[in-house]
Amino acid sequence: MKIAVLISGNGSNLQAIIEHQQQSKNLYEIVLVISNRPEAFGLKRAQKAGIATKVIDHTNFTGREAFDEQMKIALDKAEVELVVLAGFMRILSAEFTEHFLGRMLNIHPSLLPKYQGLNTHQRALDSGDKEHGLSVHFVTPELDGGPVIVQSKTNIQNDDTAESLQQRIHSLEHTAYPTVVEWFAQGRLLFKQSKVYFDAKELNSPIILTSENSNA
C-alpha cells in the first residue's frame, strides 16, 4: 500500500511511522511527504530515509481550495492509497476531505470529542480532568469530528503542566499512530457510512490502545 504523510513541523510522528514501516516493508511504503512549510524539519527526516518530499507553500495561494487542489494533484499522481496527517496545521477544504474520505487519518491530542481544536493539554488541566490522551480518527469535513478508531490515555498528576502532558502524549502517539496505519494497510480498518469497522465488526466505541493490543 502506498501512503503519504502531510506535515507542517518537526515530524516526530512521521519519524515513528518511518521506523515502524522499516519493520513492515511488505505492508506499506511511504511514497511521499508533503509539507506546507519549507522549513519543516520533518522534510529532513523524510529525505534521510530516502522518501520523496514536496513543499506546497500555502502562502503562495490566495485560497484554501487552490492550495488543497495542488495537494490533491500531487497525491493522486503518486497513486496514494492512504493519507496520514501528522502535525499538519491546515484546515482542509470539504472537497479535499471528500476526495480522500475513508482514506485519510489524523491524530489529535485529546480524548475526542473533548477539546477539539488547539491548546488541548491546558484545557484538560483547566477542566480538572483526571485523565488525558489522544485520538486517531478518520478525517471528515467536520474539524476533528471524524469517527475515532483508537484512543490512548494517561492519568493526570497533581504536578502536571501543559508541557509535561504534551511530552507524555507525544510518547503515546508514537505507538498509537503507526499501529493504526499498519491496521489500515492490513485491510483491518474500513470507513463505511460514517462508521468504523475493525476486523469486519462495527466499532461502537474507540479501541483503547495498550501495550498488550498495540501488536494485535
Side-chain angles (χ1 to χ4, degrees), residues 3-17:
I3 78 169
V5 183
L6 309 188
I7 63 169
S8 294
N10 181 51
S12 64
N13 272 312
L14 166 64
Q15 186 65 47
I17 295 169

Side-chain angles (χ1 to χ4, degrees), residues 52-120:
T53 60
K54 187 175 182 65
V55 174
I56 304 178
D57 190 340
H58 65 278
T59 62
N60 293 333
F61 297 85
T62 56
R64 184 187 307 167
E65 289 74 14
F67 168 75
D68 285 1
E69 179 63 19
Q70 286 303 304
M71 284 204 304
K72 182 175 80 68
I73 290 170
L75 293 166
D76 286 347
K77 183 178 180 181
E79 300 179 336
V80 168
E81 298 164 87
L82 174 67
V83 179
V84 179
L85 307 183
F88 186 66
M89 304 304 290
R90 295 284 299 170
I91 296 175
L92 297 166
S93 63
E95 291 80 7
F96 186 89
T97 55
E98 289 289 350
H99 182 74
F100 292 103
L101 194 64
R103 299 186 292 138
M104 184 157 54
L105 301 172
N106 185 42
I107 192 164
H108 184 74
S110 79
L111 298 172
L112 292 171
K114 281 189 170 184
Y115 314 128
Q116 298 173 336
L118 303 175
N119 303 317
T120 60

Side-chain angles (χ1 to χ4, degrees), residues 7 12 22 30 33 36 41 52 112 120 124 152 159 173 182 197 203 211:
I7 63 169
S12 64
Q22 290 171 347
I30 306 169
V33 170
N36 65 306
F41 183 71
L112 292 171
T120 60
S152 191
D159 59 349
E173 287 177 353
E182 178 176 312
Y197 292 82
L203 279 185
S211 58

Side-chain angles (χ1 to χ4, degrees), residues 51-211:
I51 300 168
T53 60
K54 187 175 182 65
V55 174
I56 304 178
D57 190 340
H58 65 278
T59 62
N60 293 333
F61 297 85
T62 56
R64 184 187 307 167
E65 289 74 14
F67 168 75
D68 285 1
E69 179 63 19
Q70 286 303 304
M71 284 204 304
K72 182 175 80 68
I73 290 170
L75 293 166
D76 286 347
K77 183 178 180 181
E79 300 179 336
V80 168
E81 298 164 87
L82 174 67
V83 179
V84 179
L85 307 183
F88 186 66
M89 304 304 290
R90 295 284 299 170
I91 296 175
L92 297 166
S93 63
E95 291 80 7
F96 186 89
T97 55
E98 289 289 350
H99 182 74
F100 292 103
L101 194 64
R103 299 186 292 138
M104 184 157 54
L105 301 172
N106 185 42
I107 192 164
H108 184 74
S110 79
L111 298 172
L112 292 171
K114 281 189 170 184
Y115 314 128
Q116 298 173 336
L118 303 175
N119 303 317
T120 60
H121 311 302
Q122 189 61 53
R123 289 159 69 190
L125 289 172
D126 292 344
S127 296
D129 290 358
K130 301 298 183 183
E131 60 181 11
H132 188 43
L134 63 89
S135 303
V136 181
H137 64 94
F138 279 108
V139 177
T140 63
E142 180 187 355
L143 179 64
D144 297 331
V148 177
I149 304 160
V150 153
Q151 291 184 326
S152 191
K153 301 179 180 181
T154 184
N155 292 326
I156 295 179
Q157 309 299 325
N158 291 333
D159 59 349
D160 264 327
T161 64
E163 290 74 22
S164 65
L165 271 182
Q166 182 183 46
Q167 289 177 359
R168 290 214 303 283
I169 298 303
H170 273 168
S171 179
L172 294 174
E173 287 177 353
H174 299 162
T175 297
Y177 219 0
T179 296
V180 175
V181 171
E182 178 176 312
W183 287 349
F184 189 94
Q186 290 171 328
R188 302 178 69 184
L189 280 173
L190 177 66
F191 176 92
K192 185 178 179 181
Q193 295 179 338
S194 300
K195 297 178 180 179
V196 179
Y197 292 82
F198 181 68
D199 288 345
K201 296 181 180 179
E202 182 184 340
L203 279 185
N204 294 313
S205 59
I207 299 169
I208 303 302
L209 199 67
T210 64
S211 58

